[in-house]
Amino acid sequence: TDLNFPKDTFDDSYLQESSEWSSAMGIYATELRCGNCLELLLAPYIECAACLPIIRLVNKRIKTTPVLVCLSCFVRGVQFDSHKNDHDFVVRRDNISVLDKDWTGCDELNLLDALRICGVGNWDAISNRLNCSKTALECKIHFFQYYVREKKKTVDSAPKEALPYVDSIEDPPRPLFQSPAYYDMAGYNAARADFEIEHDNNAELLLSDIESIYRHEDHDSDAKLYKELVSAVVGCYQSKILERQRRKKVMRMHGLICTKKSFLHFNRSRSYLPMQLVGLYPKLHQLLNFDQLSILIEGFKCETELRERQRTLKLYRHNGLTQICSATVFEELQESRNLQLREKRTMVIGGIARDPTMKKVSLPLNIVGRPGYEKLTEAERHLASEIRLMPRDLIRFKAMLMSACKKHNGLTLAHARVLIKIDVNKTRKIYDLLLSRNEISIK
C-alpha cells in the first residue's frame, strides 16, 4: 500500500468524508449511545422526532446529536430528561440500500471499518473481514466506483418521516347484550366510545319545543322573556351533554373498560402495597385514574426496594463490613456456610453414622426481604422461616382460614387441611398459631 500510494501524495480525505457522511446520516450506529442506559447503539434503534437535538462540544467543535433510544429501553417505555414515551419517533436501521442495491448500510460500514484497519489495496483481507459476503473484486469495484469517482452521496431509501405514537392496537371488547360483561361495563361500547343508553337519553326533547323564528317583535316584553327561556333550556341541554362526556371519560381513564387487566395489574403489585391500602383499592380507582394509580403503586414498589436495600446494608454493617466491595466476599462465604450446614446432615455425629432412614431436618428459610415480609408479625416470620413458607403464601393461607372460620362460625383442623393443600404438619402449625392468638376458633 505504501508503494502504490506514497504518504506525501496519497489523499485520504474522501475516507474521512465518507465516514463523517455515514455518521451524519444516522446509520453509523457504533458511535452513538442510548440517551437512557448509555449503551452503544446497534441498528435498528429509535430516534425521537419531538425532542430537540442535544448540543455537545467535541474536540472544540459544536455537534448536535438527536435523542436516541435503544430497543430495550424503547419497549419498556422509559422516560428521561424531556423525552416522553408517547413522542413521535423514527426507526433507524442499516439493512437498507444506501449507494448500491446489492450493498446494505451494514455492508457499507463494515467496508469502511475494514479499509481503516487493513488499508486500501489489501482487498483479500478486506473481504475476509466482511465474512466473505463480498469478494475482493466486488469490494474494490464498489469502493472506487462510489467512494472515489462518484461524488453523489445521498440516501434516497432512508426513512425520513416520523411515525406517530399509537397508544393501543388491541381490539376493544365487544360484550354481548345483557351479558355479565355488558353489565360490568354499564352498557358502554368501547368500539363506538358511547353508551348503549346514554345518560338522560331524552335530553334532546328539551330542544324540540324551541321555535327557531321568534314570533314577537324585539320591543315586545314577551320577546325578551322568550329569549331568556330559550337560553335556559339550551343551558340545561348543554349541562346534560357535559355529564355524558364526563361519564365516558370516567370509563376510559379509570380502567373500567378492561377490568380484568386492571385487577391483574393490582394483583401483581399487591405485595408492595401496605395492608391498609389493599382494601381501599376500589375507592382509590374512583379518585385516581389508571395512570395516577400506576404511579402510586410504582412509588410503593420503589419504597419496598429501598427498604430491602437498607436492610441488606444493615446486615452488612452488623457483620463488620464497611465497604460495599466486601459484600461479594461476604455473600460467597455465607453461601459456603449454608452449604456446609446442608452437608452436615450426612456427616458422622458423635462417632455414630447418621441413619439414612431418619427424617431429615430442614434448615430455616431466609425470608428477609421477600414479598410480604413487612406484613408479618415476629411470630409469623419465625413460623414462615421454620416451615419454609414464603411470606405472601402464609398471608394467603391465613386469610383463607380466617374467612372459613367466619363463614362457618368456627374451624376444625380437618377442615383446615382440606382448605390448604400443603404438608399436614405445616397446616397444623399454622392452625395452632392462629388458634393461640384467638384469630380463629374451634367449631
Side-chain angles (χ1 to χ4, degrees):
T1 303
D2 293 336
L3 292 177
N4 294 331
F5 301 93
K7 294 181 179 179
D8 55 345
T9 60
F10 178 61
D11 182 15
D12 61 348
S13 61
Y14 56 86
L15 282 179
Q16 299 177 1
E17 294 176 358
S18 301
S19 179
E20 291 179 0
W21 162 72
S22 299
S23 179
M25 291 309 297
I27 62 174
Y28 209 152
T30 56
E31 296 182 356
L32 303 176
R33 292 183 179 270
C34 175
N36 178 57
C37 61
L38 301 180
E39 292 290 337
L40 287 175
L41 290 175
L42 298 176
Y45 58 93
I46 306 301
E47 175 183 335
C48 182
C51 296
L52 296 176
I54 302 174
I55 301 176
R56 298 184 300 173
L57 185 63
V58 180
N59 296 330
K60 298 182 180 181
R61 297 176 60 185
I62 298 177
K63 290 188 177 182
T64 58
T65 306
V67 177
L68 305 176
V69 186
C70 64
L71 292 183
S72 177
C73 296
F74 177 74
V75 297
R76 290 188 289 111
V78 297
Q79 301 181 144
F80 55 92
D81 299 335
S82 61
H83 175 69
K84 303 298 181 183
N85 55 17
D86 57 352
H87 284 176
D88 296 346
F89 59 92
V90 178
V91 181
R92 296 297 185 187
R93 51 185 181 270
D94 58 2
N95 59 350
I96 58 176
S97 299
V98 181
L99 300 174
D100 190 350
K101 64 179 181 179
D102 296 329
W103 287 67
T104 63
C106 184
D107 296 336
E108 301 285 353
L109 295 177
N110 293 335
L111 176 62
L112 293 177
D113 288 339
L115 286 169
R116 179 176 56 84
I117 297 173
C118 303
V120 179
N122 195 3
W123 302 113
D124 292 333
I126 292 174
S127 176
N128 292 333
R129 293 194 66 86
L130 294 177
N131 298 326
C132 297
S133 60
K134 306 293 181 183
T135 63
L137 182 60
E138 290 175 344
C139 295
K140 180 179 179 180
I141 294 176
H142 181 80
F143 172 72
F144 283 102
Q145 179 179 356
Y146 292 101
Y147 291 91
V148 178
R149 300 187 183 94
E150 189 172 338
K151 298 299 182 182
K152 181 182 178 182
K153 297 176 180 178
T154 58
V155 182
D156 297 331
S157 57
K160 299 179 180 179
E161 68 280 359
L163 301 177
Y165 170 78
V166 180
D167 188 15
S168 177
I169 58 176
E170 298 182 1
D171 189 47
R174 294 179 172 84
L176 297 177
F177 181 69
Q178 293 184 349
S179 62
Y182 173 84
Y183 289 109
D184 289 342
M185 296 176 60
Y188 183 76
N189 193 325
R192 297 199 315 259
D194 61 2
F195 288 92
E196 190 72 26
I197 300 177
E198 292 286 354
H199 167 70
D200 203 345
N201 203 33
N202 298 324
E204 285 74 15
L205 296 178
L206 293 173
L207 305 179
S208 61
D209 297 333
I210 298 178
E211 297 181 2
S212 59
I213 302 177
Y214 299 120
R215 296 182 178 180
H216 306 280
E217 299 294 337
D218 294 338
H219 62 272
D220 193 353
S221 59
D222 294 336
K224 183 178 180 179
L225 181 61
Y226 184 79
K227 292 180 181 179
E228 294 178 355
L229 179 60
V230 169
S231 300
V233 172
V234 173
C236 293
Y237 176 72
Q238 185 179 10
S239 64
K240 297 179 183 297
I241 294 298
L242 292 177
E243 177 62 20
R244 291 180 182 177
Q245 298 298 326
R246 189 190 69 83
R247 297 190 176 210
K248 295 175 183 178
K249 185 178 179 180
V250 168
M251 291 293 301
R252 294 192 301 267
M253 300 300 294
H254 290 257
L256 300 179
I257 296 179
C258 298
T259 55
K260 291 184 179 180
K261 288 187 177 181
S262 300
F263 281 98
L264 181 63
H265 176 263
F266 167 70
N267 290 330
R268 286 199 300 262
S269 308
R270 188 168 184 169
S271 58
Y272 303 110
L273 293 177
M275 287 294 295
Q276 58 269 22
L277 288 182
V278 173
L280 298 178
Y281 182 78
K283 296 183 179 180
L284 288 177
H285 242 309
Q286 299 176 5
L287 300 176
L288 306 175
N289 58 35
F290 188 77
D291 294 335
Q292 294 172 342
L293 194 59
S294 299
I295 294 175
L296 179 63
I297 293 177
E298 287 296 326
F300 284 115
K301 180 179 179 180
C302 292
E303 180 187 3
T304 304
E305 293 175 353
L306 289 176
R307 288 180 180 272
E308 182 180 355
R309 179 61 177 170
Q310 184 184 18
R311 191 181 301 108
T312 304
L313 294 177
K314 286 183 177 180
L315 177 63
Y316 292 159
R317 185 59 181 167
H318 179 72
N319 287 273
L321 302 181
T322 57
Q323 296 181 356
I324 196 65
C325 57
S326 305
T328 305
V329 181
F330 174 76
E331 295 291 344
E332 293 177 356
L333 293 176
Q334 189 179 30
E335 181 64 25
S336 176
R337 180 175 180 274
N338 293 335
L339 180 61
Q340 292 177 1
L341 291 177
R342 287 194 296 267
E343 294 176 351
K344 190 176 180 180
R345 293 176 298 177
T346 60
M347 296 176 61
V348 176
I349 302 177
I352 303 175
R354 185 181 179 90
D355 188 1
T357 60
M358 293 176 60
K359 183 178 179 181
K360 295 182 179 180
V361 179
S362 300
L363 295 176
L365 180 65
N366 184 14
I367 62 172
V368 177
R370 299 299 179 90
Y373 178 79
E374 296 289 341
K375 303 176 184 178
L376 298 179
T377 62
E378 193 64 32
E380 292 173 346
R381 294 174 184 175
H382 179 73
L383 175 63
S385 177
E386 181 184 355
I387 65 178
R388 301 182 62 83
L389 196 65
M390 297 301 291
R392 59 184 177 186
D393 293 335
L394 180 59
I395 294 174
R396 182 163 57 89
F397 294 153
K398 175 184 173 183
M400 291 172 57
L401 295 179
M402 293 177 63
S403 177
C405 179
K406 183 178 179 180
K407 181 178 180 181
H408 300 286
N409 195 19
L411 185 68
T412 61
L413 179 59
H415 190 193
R417 289 173 174 172
V418 173
L419 292 176
I420 305 178
K421 303 297 183 180
I422 59 175
D423 185 65
V424 293
N425 296 322
K426 295 182 180 181
T427 305
R428 182 178 186 86
K429 291 182 179 180
I430 299 174
Y431 180 83
D432 292 341
L433 177 65
L434 298 180
L435 191 62
S436 63
R437 295 162 56 177
N438 295 326
E439 296 185 4
I440 61 175
S441 59
I442 301 178
K443 188 174 182 179

